[in-house]
Amino acid sequence: MVDAYDEAEAAGPSRRHVTAAMASGLAGAVLVGGAPGAQAAERRPAGGRPDPAHHDILFVSAHPDDEAGNLSTFGLWRERRGMRTGVVTVTRGEGGGNAVGPEEGAPLGVLREKEERSATALAGIENIFYLDKPDFWYTLSAPLTERIWHERDTLERMVRLFRMATPHTVVTMDPRPFNQHGAHQMAARLAIEAFFLAGDRKAFPEQLTCEGLAPWRPRRLLAQNYGFSDLLGPEAPEERHTDPDTGLPVVGVWSGHASREHGTSWAQVERDASRMYRSQGWAAMPPEVPADPEKLGSDWFSVLAEKGRAVRAPVKDQGELRPVYEEFRRWTRRVGLPWLANGAQPDYPDPPSTTVPEVAAAPVLNGVEGDGEYPGPQLDLVHWEGDEATDADCSATAKMSRHGDDLFVLVTVKDDRDGTHLEEDDAKRHWRTDAVEIAIDPRGDADDTSVTFKTGIFPFTAGGGGPVAERDADNRQGPAGETAPGMRVAAEVDEPYRGYTVEAKIPLGELPAAADPERFAVNILVYDSDTKDKTGQTRLAWSPFGSAQADPYVWGTARLEGYTPPADRPTDPAEPEIPTEAARSEDSPASVEQSRRTGIPLAGGPRPCTPRR
């Protein structure tokens, strides 16, 4: 199953190299909690009562469900050592897909908050602190996310939360830029900065002088590491591990430890919890985990800091970097963790290239290849992500041609089983069922998809309808009739079902900028679903490296033969229209009650100012 959000994720987390005993789940839990035994439970103020704001561990993430892969660890630490975990979730996931209903935007965020609170409760997590920032779409860009989240404000809120919740250990996501959600990267960056700033009196001093807070210095900083998920069985965490890129120590917590409370393994509890994230299609996960302990994995974490200080590693500078990776390297140097940039830019393969021929007559848009309509080369789409599939299960080819100022694309898909036939007004988030995606970078120099054109085309819709096209995660999103009014699509669906052909006309004038005929970049992708639960299983792409739908660096070059754009067409891309609707904590009864109980303001906002004399 390929999920709408976890397009860039695998399955595990990370920790630090200690003795074999300390690294093996329970004994390691003592140290990861930040203090031995009795000190790990609750901070007690002078009056002797537990501080309701205190959490031994804070997990910082971008969306509801980002903590799902670590719930076995958090539950184990609570049950065996009394360690209290809280979750900081920057957004409510308003930009994700929805496998259970039509909600999107703020209503989807409300739904996802309920899922997250229900799922995390199985691990004994009581409090989730939402920062009310918008989740706009799946992007690989931390800088773009930084802009939309108003980074300084988000950082200030996070520092305030750290100072009020006083965690000994902070766990966050992987800040590295390749092949993962930009919101994940940005959440991790903010957590890392807040970890070091919370104890600095010069950082957001008004929190100290006006709000009455005190500096707080967490002890340990961990980041999820999914590079060790193939190591199975209880012995794996007992060995020393080092991240091959950063050089940092990596530690694991085995998921197979038994839970006294639940009467099963923590791996099974985590699976039960994960299936509660139903809107993201996770209910389709197998209900049972393997019974064989040797088939159960660990949560893996890179150790970024101990005793409040950065864990150091050798710096291995790469040579010339593309802009996204250069920006990340600058950030690592600014925060004093330059080894995080080691090997951050992968060895990109040479992207494919083709020539788009000009045709004398426009192709007839009917989902059928007519004589002479597509004289250029056939492009084979190959496995990119998800389940491997035989040609009989799913295979696809594409062709392109140009007539005047219009690009024509023909995609032929062989498919043994159709997915969900969505209602026409629910024809969005195309990865949930069978669909074709056409991604275009008109200038061939994009660093993220906000300056590109991306369309998802559904070959069929409910009640015998279709095809329908939309735009997603690009310069302007929404139904194609509104966001690309000159675009036209047609489809021919086999009866009985053996696949389909999609044909599209995309006016080059609908693109965010004038097409550069020599650098014009394209990727063509196919999403294959064999179920009726709005989840996908297999993905194909012309250029299949990394996060092929969201990384313009991957897309192939499609030279536009004989084309010259109109002289008055701008070469600078139009300013992107980015959705910023977010659910608000003040409208969440659970969040309001949590704030009353813990004393931590809604969304990490400021406390009333009472200046010290």
Side-chain angles (χ1 to χ4, degrees):
M1 179 185 68
V2 179
D3 171 65
Y5 255 127
D6 294 276
E7 298 178 348
E9 290 188 87
S14 353
R15 261 175 50 198
R16 74 172 180 122
H17 85 54
V18 287
T19 66
M22 290 178 179
S24 63
L26 175 57
V30 179
L31 285 180
V32 173
Q39 295 180 4
E42 296 172 338
R43 183 183 63 172
R44 294 180 181 273
R49 294 184 178 182
D51 181 349
H54 173 67
H55 294 73
D56 302 291
I57 302 149
L58 276 184
F59 175 75
V60 179
S61 67
H63 315 102
D65 76 30
D66 286 341
E67 71 286 317
N70 297 147
L71 291 179
S72 61
T73 293
F74 298 146
L76 175 69
W77 292 347
R78 179 192 62 83
E79 188 174 75
R80 300 287 182 92
R81 294 291 170 179
M83 295 175 181
R84 187 187 194 200
T85 297
V87 175
V88 180
T89 306
V90 179
T91 81
R92 285 179 172 80
E94 295 89 350
N98 189 349
V100 297
E103 296 90 349
E104 57 183 332
L108 177 59
V110 172
L111 173 62
R112 295 191 68 182
E113 175 182 350
K114 293 177 181 177
E115 292 177 342
E116 184 175 29
R117 290 189 181 276
S118 297
T120 57
L122 292 187
I125 294 173
E126 300 175 284
N127 298 317
I128 302 175
F129 304 96
Y130 297 94
L131 300 190
D132 292 2
K133 297 300 178 176
D135 179 42
F136 50 101
W137 69 54
Y138 178 62
T139 177
L140 300 179
S141 174
L144 181 64
T145 306
E146 177 182 49
R147 192 173 90 215
I148 301 304
W149 283 1
H150 301 104
E151 181 263 354
R152 191 68 179 171
D153 176 73
T154 310
L155 180 61
E156 180 178 5
R157 291 169 185 266
M158 200 170 292
V159 168
R160 181 180 291 110
L161 268 169
F162 283 19
R163 287 170 170 171
M164 296 192 73
T166 60
H168 297 296
T169 297
V170 174
V171 185
T172 191
M173 311 193 78
D174 184 353
R176 289 162 60 84
F178 176 66
N179 199 27
Q180 70 152 332
H181 206 308
H184 294 177
Q185 300 171 47
M186 198 62 219
R189 292 194 195 190
L190 291 165
I192 291 167
E193 294 194 46
F195 178 90
F196 293 105
L197 291 176
D200 184 352
R201 290 184 172 276
K202 295 180 181 179
F204 305 108
E206 65 281 356
Q207 294 182 6
L208 312 181
T209 59
C210 182
E211 298 180 39
L213 302 183
W216 179 258
R217 186 183 181 190
R219 302 178 187 178
R220 182 163 290 112
L221 177 61
L222 309 176
Q224 293 174 328
N225 188 319
Y226 290 101
F228 294 80
S229 56
D230 291 340
L231 299 181
L232 306 179
E235 304 301 318
E238 297 185 3
E239 301 174 0
R240 291 187 176 188
H241 299 284
T242 301
D243 184 87
D245 289 320
T246 65
L248 292 171
V250 173
V251 293
V253 179
W254 186 52
S255 66
H257 288 290
S259 167
R260 295 188 299 269
E261 176 183 346
H262 293 280
T264 187
S265 70
W266 277 108
Q268 184 59 56
V269 176
E270 181 176 288
R271 176 60 55 84
D272 295 342
S274 295
R275 284 167 50 84
M276 292 181 176
Y277 301 97
R278 295 178 63 245
S279 68
Q280 302 310 291
W282 290 20
M285 288 182 174
E288 306 292 332
V289 300
D292 183 354
E294 297 299 329
K295 295 183 179 179
L296 295 177
S298 297
D299 288 354
W300 297 97
F301 305 87
S302 293
V303 185
L304 275 57
E306 301 233 43
K307 298 180 180 179
R309 299 177 181 273
V311 175
R312 302 182 67 83
V315 176
K316 301 175 183 178
D317 268 337
Q318 290 183 282
E320 185 176 346
L321 296 178
R322 298 174 188 240
V324 163
Y325 302 100
E326 176 57 41
E327 186 275 339
F328 178 68
R329 181 166 63 182
R330 289 196 301 270
W331 175 81
T332 65
R333 290 172 175 173
R334 178 171 65 81
V335 299
L337 303 172
W339 41 86
L340 290 181
N342 292 353
Q345 179 173 291
D347 291 329
Y348 279 91
D350 292 333
S353 62
T354 190
T355 297
V356 179
E358 182 179 11
V359 291
V364 177
L365 213 66
N366 56 5
V368 177
E369 181 178 359
D371 290 342
E373 290 184 335
Y374 295 92
Q378 176 176 287
L379 310 178
D380 293 327
L381 277 56
V382 298
H383 178 263
W384 153 42
E385 194 173 61
D387 297 342
E388 294 277 1
T390 64
D391 286 349
D393 180 6
C394 184
S395 60
T397 61
K399 290 186 173 183
M400 290 184 282
S401 64
R402 180 186 62 82
H403 177 72
D405 207 35
D406 295 324
L407 176 71
F408 289 83
V409 184
L410 182 84
V411 183
T412 303
V413 180
K414 294 181 181 179
D415 183 21
D416 66 341
R417 187 177 303 172
D418 56 338
T420 303
H421 291 229
L422 298 171
E423 298 291 338
E424 188 169 339
D425 60 2
D426 190 32
K428 51 184 179 290
R429 310 297 194 259
H430 51 273
W431 54 82
R432 296 177 295 156
T433 188
D434 295 309
V436 167
E437 180 175 348
I438 302 169
I440 300 173
D441 174 11
R443 306 301 298 171
D445 59 0
D447 295 317
D448 63 67
T449 62
S450 70
V451 294
T452 71
F453 177 102
K454 295 174 72 226
T455 179
I457 302 170
F458 301 86
F460 45 74
T461 48
V468 176
E470 48 93 50
R471 288 177 63 181
D472 181 89
D474 69 347
N475 191 254
R476 189 181 176 205
Q477 310 85 54
E482 301 172 9
T483 59
M487 181 179 171
R488 298 290 181 269
V489 296
E492 182 72 19
V493 181
D494 293 340
E495 186 61 45
Y497 187 81
R498 296 185 304 277
Y500 58 88
T501 299
V502 159
E503 192 171 17
K505 181 186 82 169
I506 301 172
L508 297 178
E510 302 275 13
L511 305 182
D516 182 333
E518 298 298 325
R519 302 183 63 187
F520 193 73
V522 172
N523 209 356
I524 300 171
L525 312 101
V526 165
Y527 297 78
D528 178 42
S529 174
D530 292 332
T531 63
K532 304 299 181 184
D533 55 7
K534 299 181 184 177
T535 64
Q537 286 75 45
T538 299
R539 296 175 177 180
L540 310 178
W542 178 42
S543 185
F545 184 70
S547 206
Q549 88 286 30
D551 186 354
Y553 295 162
V554 171
W555 300 352
T557 301
R559 180 176 174 273
L560 298 175
E561 187 177 65
Y563 179 70
T564 300
D568 60 349
R569 189 164 293 168
T571 56
D572 291 331
E575 187 68 20
E577 297 182 15
I578 298 179
T580 57
E581 179 183 339
R584 313 299 298 179
S585 290
E586 63 189 23
D587 299 323
S588 163
S591 292
V592 171
E593 166 57 24
Q594 175 184 295
S595 179
R596 183 199 63 77
R597 176 167 33 84
T598 64
I600 297 178
L602 291 170
R607 300 206 308 178
C609 183
T610 53
R612 294 179 179 177
R613 295 183 179 179

